[in-house]
């Protein structure tokens, strides 16, 4: 009887996880369709300015909504920690925040932001998939490579519209600093069994050496891109995401 109950509980958890992942990809598709519709509105000369302004107002509304959802979730957890709607409100807050950032990008960069959004929205769904299914050390490396890849993309574009050397240095410096801080924090975790306080970030079997290597590769790519220019930055970005694909294959095999 106990085994049957455990089996039923395991199946229900698997179904819930599958549903969450499907919802994430569904919301990504909805976001892409919304971006496409906004883009078509911007193609009309007479609708360009009203559409851009509407995106700004909608971004503010979604930002306020995200704050409200977070407040409700925090208050609800204090009153009733087991209430399932606490988690739902957090999810609503995340979705509202993503919508606010996307609309803000369209408001500030009406023509340049669409290519980024077409790539970013599906990428967020895949990141959620990695977070839920794969080991947390692979998720961390995905974040490191994502930061490095975005930085390399920005460098490839900034150098094409020179003179913007100072902005290139600021972007690169901020990314390298963030990666170095992550590296320093990671070096302290093995002694603490992957914990920061009571929060468990990584399991005891986490591959710290591979995480160190990934951070070092991203830092080296950014520095090389700064020295050699936009063309090299573009190809290093391609190489970074190819490296991510190799890691995905490696961690997928480990799951089997």
């Amino acid at each position: 009887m106990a085994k049957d109950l455990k089996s039923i509980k395991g199946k229900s958890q698997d179904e819930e996880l599958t549903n969450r992942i499907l919802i994430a990809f569904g919301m990504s598709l909805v976001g892409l369709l919304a971006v496409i519709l906004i883009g078509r509105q911007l193609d009309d000369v007479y609708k360009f300015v009203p559409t851009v302004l509407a995106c700004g107002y909608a971004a503010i509304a979604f930002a306020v909504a995200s704050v409200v959802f977070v407040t409700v979730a925090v208050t609800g957890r204090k009153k009733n920690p087991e209430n399932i709607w606490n988690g739902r409100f957090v999810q609503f807050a995340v979705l509202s925040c993503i919508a606010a950032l996307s609309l803000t990008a369209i408001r500030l960069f009406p023509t340049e932001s669409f290519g980024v959004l077409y790539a970013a929205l599906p990428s967020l769904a895949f990141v959620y998939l990695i977070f839920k299914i794969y080991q947390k050390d692979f998720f961390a490396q995905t974040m490191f490579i994502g930061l490095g890849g975005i930085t390399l993309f920005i460098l490839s574009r900034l150098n094409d519209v020179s003179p913007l050397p100072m902005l290139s240095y600021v972007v690169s410096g901020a990314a390298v600093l963030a990666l170095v801080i992550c590296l320093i924090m990671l070096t302290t975790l093995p002694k603490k069994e992957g914990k920061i306080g009571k929060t468990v970030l990584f399991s005891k079997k986490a591959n710290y050496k591979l995480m160190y290597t990934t951070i070092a590769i991203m830092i080296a790519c950014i520095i090389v891109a700064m020295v050699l220019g936009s063309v090299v930055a573009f190809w290093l970005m391609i190489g970074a995401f190819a490296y991510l694909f190799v890691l995905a294959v490696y961690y997928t095999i480990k799951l089997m």
Side-chain angles (χ1 to χ4, degrees):
M1 184 69 178
K3 290 183 178 180
D4 292 338
L5 290 174
K6 288 182 179 179
S7 177
I8 293 171
K9 185 176 180 180
K11 289 181 179 178
S12 64
Q13 289 176 343
D14 290 341
E15 290 176 356
E16 182 180 357
L17 177 60
T18 302
N19 291 334
R20 287 186 177 184
I21 292 171
L22 289 174
I23 290 172
F25 278 92
M27 295 306 298
S28 172
L29 179 59
V30 170
L32 285 174
L33 292 174
V35 171
I36 291 171
L37 291 174
I38 293 172
R40 289 189 175 182
Q41 294 297 313
L42 293 177
D43 289 337
D44 190 331
V45 176
Y46 298 103
K47 295 180 181 179
F48 184 89
V49 174
T51 301
V52 170
L53 292 176
C55 287
Y57 296 137
I60 295 173
F62 276 112
V64 172
S66 65
V67 174
V68 172
F69 286 135
V70 169
T71 304
V72 172
V74 172
T75 304
R77 283 185 177 179
K78 290 180 179 179
K79 294 181 179 179
N80 185 7
E82 297 182 358
N83 189 348
I84 191 173
W85 278 99
N86 295 333
R88 297 285 186 272
F89 284 125
V90 172
Q91 294 170 8
F92 294 154
V94 172
L95 291 173
S96 298
C97 184
I98 293 172
L101 291 173
S102 300
L103 290 166
T104 300
I106 295 174
R107 173 64 181 86
L108 297 176
F109 310 101
T111 56
E112 299 87 353
S113 59
F114 284 90
V116 176
L117 291 175
Y118 290 146
L121 293 176
S123 297
L124 289 173
F126 279 106
V127 167
Y128 183 78
L129 172 68
I130 292 170
F131 177 74
K132 285 295 184 180
I133 293 181
Y134 287 86
Q135 295 94 323
K136 293 301 180 284
D137 45 324
F138 178 44
F139 173 74
Q141 290 177 83
T142 301
M143 295 294 98
F144 302 148
I145 295 171
L147 175 59
I150 291 171
T151 304
L152 292 170
F153 172 77
I154 293 173
L155 288 176
S156 68
R157 302 293 300 222
L158 285 178
N159 290 334
D160 286 340
V161 292
S162 291
L164 287 175
M166 184 55 67
L167 187 55
S168 298
Y169 287 126
V170 170
V171 171
S172 302
V176 169
L177 178 61
L179 289 169
V180 169
I181 291 173
C182 290
L183 180 60
I184 294 172
M185 291 179 63
L186 278 175
T187 56
T188 65
L189 291 179
K191 297 178 181 178
K192 300 177 182 178
E193 298 183 340
K195 297 180 181 179
I196 294 181
K198 296 182 179 180
T199 303
V200 179
L201 295 181
F202 303 108
S203 68
K204 295 180 180 179
K205 296 181 180 180
N207 194 335
Y208 288 97
K209 291 182 179 179
L210 189 55
M211 286 192 280
Y212 301 155
T213 302
T214 298
I215 292 178
I217 290 173
M218 288 300 101
I219 292 174
C221 286
I222 293 171
I223 294 173
V224 170
M226 278 298 301
V227 174
L228 299 181
S230 60
V231 176
V232 174
F234 174 80
W235 288 108
L236 286 174
M237 178 187 68
I238 299 297
F241 289 115
Y243 174 62
L244 177 60
F245 175 77
V246 173
L247 288 177
V249 173
Y250 169 73
Y251 279 98
T252 301
I253 293 173
K254 286 186 68 176
L255 285 176
M256 296 179 180

